[in-house]
Amino acid sequence: MSNDSALFLGQFLRAPSKIGAVAPSSRRLAANVCAPIPERGEPTVVELGPGTGPFTAEIQQRLAGRGHHLAVEVNDLMAQLLAERFPTVDVAHADAARLGELLRERGLRQADVVVSGLPWAAFPEETQRDLLRAVTSAMSPVAAFTTFSYVHAIPLSSARRFRALLAERFEEVVPGRTVWRNPPPAFVFHARRPRP
C-alpha cells in the first residue's frame, strides 16, 4: 500500500463523512475531471477537496504556470501534505463553504473552473445545498464545474438528491463516461452556466 493510500484510508476511518474515499483517485479520473481547464489564458482554477493531490497534479500540468490554482482542503494533515508536495499551489486549509471569502482574500473575483473531489453523496442535504450555493456564487457566468461520483453510489438517495441539485443550480449538466480503471469505478459530471 502506498503512503498516500495509507494516509487516505486512515483519514477515511477517522472521518468517513468528510473524506468519502478509501484511496486517492486514479490518473484517468483526474484527467476526466480536469478536462474543462482552458489551454490558454490566465484562469482561476479552484479545487475542492484535493486530498493527497491526484487532481492537483493534473491541474498543475494543464496550467503549466498560468493562472491561479486555489486548493481548498478541510483536513489539516492533507492540507499540509498538499502544500509541501505542490509549493506553487495556493493551499487553503478551510471549509469549501467559505469559497467566496477565500477568493476575495486573494483579490480574485470569480472562478473560471471549479474541480471538486468532495464526497457529495456522503453529505446531508443542507451541506450539499450550502456547498453548491458557495460554489455557484463564486463562479463566473461561463465557468465550468466538474465533480465525480462512484458507480456504487448511484442508487443512494443522497447521490440522487445531489444530481437533482446540480440540475437546479446549473443550466447544463452532462454526465461523462464511467472510468472503470478507478478504484472504485466512477463517472464525472460536467456542469456549466451556474444559475444565480
Side-chain angles (χ1 to χ4, degrees), residues 21 32 78 84 143 163 177 184:
N32 278 276
M78 290 190 184
E84 291 168 11
R163 288 193 302 277
R177 290 187 173 155

Side-chain angles (χ1 to χ4, degrees), residues 1 13-14 25 33 40-41 47 61-62 83 95 97-98 109 116 124 126 131-132 140 159 166 169 178 194:
M1 182 182 287
L13 293 172
R14 290 178 134 185
S25 298
V33 169
R40 291 183 284 288
E47 180 183 11
Q61 180 181 335
R62 288 173 186 255
D95 190 311
R98 293 185 46 226
R109 276 192 63 230
S116 175
E126 184 178 349
L131 288 172
L132 209 47
S140 80
L166 280 176
R169 299 296 303 179
T178 302

Side-chain angles (χ1 to χ4, degrees), residues 20-117:
V22 296
S25 298
S26 69
R27 293 189 73 192
R28 288 182 198 274
L29 182 59
N32 278 276
V33 169
C34 297
I37 295 171
E39 294 178 4
R40 291 183 284 288
E42 297 292 323
T44 297
V45 178
V46 172
E47 180 183 11
L48 305 177
T52 57
F55 295 172
T56 311
E58 183 71 22
I59 293 166
Q60 286 295 286
Q61 180 181 335
R62 288 173 186 255
L63 287 176
R66 301 174 300 116
H68 190 103
H69 179 181
L70 171 62
V72 183
E73 175 57 60
V74 72
N75 181 284
D76 184 50
L77 199 56
M78 290 190 184
Q80 288 175 30
L81 174 72
L82 204 68
E84 291 168 11
R85 191 173 281 174
F86 299 98
T88 61
V89 174
D90 181 0
V91 178
H93 175 223
D95 190 311
R98 293 185 46 226
L99 182 54
E101 177 186 339
L102 294 170
L103 288 170
R104 284 189 299 279
E105 287 172 358
R106 289 155 175 79
L108 301 168
R109 276 192 63 230
Q110 295 176 308
D112 298 302
V113 178
V114 178
V115 171
S116 175

Side-chain angles (χ1 to χ4, degrees), residues 152-165:
H152 68 268
I154 290 171
L156 298 177
S157 62
S158 58
R160 289 194 313 270
R161 180 180 61 236
F162 177 67
R163 288 193 302 277
L165 282 173

